[in-house]
Amino acid sequence: GQNIDQPTEMTATEGAIVQINCTYQTSGFNGLFWYQQHAGEAPTFLSYNVLDGLEEKGRFSSFLSRSKGYSYLLLKELQMKDSASYLCAVTDSNYQLIWGAGTKLIIKP
Amino acid sequence: DAGITQSPRYKITETGRQVTLMCHQTWSHSYMFWYRQDLGHGLRLIYYSAAADITDKGEVPDGYVVSRSKTENFPLTLESATRSQTSVYFCASSVRGLEGETQYFGPGTRLLVL
């Protein structure tokens, strides 16, 4: 079966750094996405990785290791508005997106 | 620029009733998707469409019907609603449905089946 694992919930402090991990087991791999979803809202795109390594975009970075089936999303200089769920999704060999259940990130002052 | 819209935003219905959720996009994206999102689960694909008059099943299609007579509209119908279909439904679209392509999501429809 296909499976994506993320921690259910994480807590961090405003101004700090947090790393959200995602491990996956899918039939094939054609890229990994991270989406942000604020409570009661729709998911919005954050990042995409298809090759190994780190992709940096402002305060957010995403890392991929295809051999380990592993990715992480790194959020720096945390702000209260970063309180949200972060969804990991993998494109499988059929180009279907398989979604993790999401990690709820709570930011404390 | 309206983007992608869904209606209604909230719906309460009773078991056994037919319900249609509407999705409309103004970008002329080829691909459209319907997902449901439940607590503790990731987004689960119900149906998707690669173009007008082309639809295909996703992971959880049972109890749902879709159609796509026009590129911009992709309605989802629950033929006979059940309590297990209580969920948040998201419509999404993308240009070509290829790897690396971002999906753009509508605001969601919150459906309660009593």
Side-chain angles (χ1 to χ4, degrees):
Chain A
Q2 310 211 81
N3 195 49
I4 296 182
D5 286 318
Q6 309 177 230
T8 301
E9 187 175 296
M10 299 181 70
T11 302
T13 304
E14 190 177 16
I17 299 173
V18 70
Q19 178 176 310
I20 302 174
N21 296 325
C22 170
T23 58
Y24 62 89
Q25 292 176 313
T26 56
S27 56
F29 177 84
N30 282 304
L32 184 144
F33 290 85
W34 285 96
Y35 279 75
Q36 181 189 58
Q37 185 178 25
H38 285 101
E41 298 183 8
T44 55
F45 171 79
L46 280 180
S47 69
Y48 172 72
N49 295 71
V50 66
L51 300 176
D52 291 350
L54 188 68
E55 296 278 343
E56 297 186 80
K57 191 183 294 185
R59 294 189 298 115
F60 292 8
S61 302
S62 56
F63 172 83
L64 174 67
S65 169
R66 289 173 295 171
S67 62
K68 296 182 179 178
Y70 168 70
S71 173
Y72 68 73
L73 181 68
L74 191 71
L75 290 74
K76 303 175 185 176
E77 301 169 12
L78 286 169
Q79 302 176 7
M80 296 305 292
K81 68 178 181 179
D82 297 329
S83 292
S85 288
Y86 291 86
L87 313 180
C88 175
V90 173
T91 307
D92 69 8
S93 56
N94 295 319
Y95 297 101
Q96 297 283 342
L97 261 183
I98 311 301
W99 295 81
T103 298
K104 182 178 181 180
L105 177 64
I106 300 168
I107 310 296
K108 295 185 175 180
Chain B
D1 184 359
I4 183 165
T5 57
Q6 294 182 235
S7 62
R9 294 293 312 279
Y10 302 90
K11 177 73 176 178
I12 300 175
T13 191
E14 295 178 336
T15 300
R17 291 191 180 267
Q18 183 179 77
V19 177
T20 296
L21 310 183
M22 304 301 293
C23 178
H24 175 79
Q25 52 108 352
T26 60
W27 294 311
S28 298
H29 284 174
S30 293
Y31 276 74
M32 296 187 75
F33 309 84
W34 273 108
Y35 292 95
R36 60 178 290 173
Q37 187 175 40
D38 304 290
L39 202 62
H41 290 273
L43 288 160
R44 290 183 289 176
L45 183 65
I46 304 170
Y47 270 96
Y48 68 99
S49 168
D53 297 321
I54 301 175
T55 62
D56 210 345
K57 296 178 179 179
E59 180 186 356
V60 289
D62 293 343
Y64 303 95
V65 174
V66 293
S67 62
R68 191 152 177 224
S69 56
K70 294 184 178 181
T71 299
E72 60 267 29
N73 296 324
F74 191 36
L76 175 74
T77 297
L78 288 67
E79 295 182 294
S80 178
T82 64
R83 290 184 180 176
S84 65
Q85 292 178 310
T86 292
S87 187
V88 181
Y89 291 86
F90 286 103
C91 178
S93 71
S94 66
V95 176
R96 293 168 299 174
L98 300 178
E99 71 274 18
E101 279 216 336
T102 302
Q103 290 188 10
Y104 298 90
F105 285 80
T109 295
R110 283 146 186 82
L111 176 67
L112 175 61
V113 183
L114 300 175

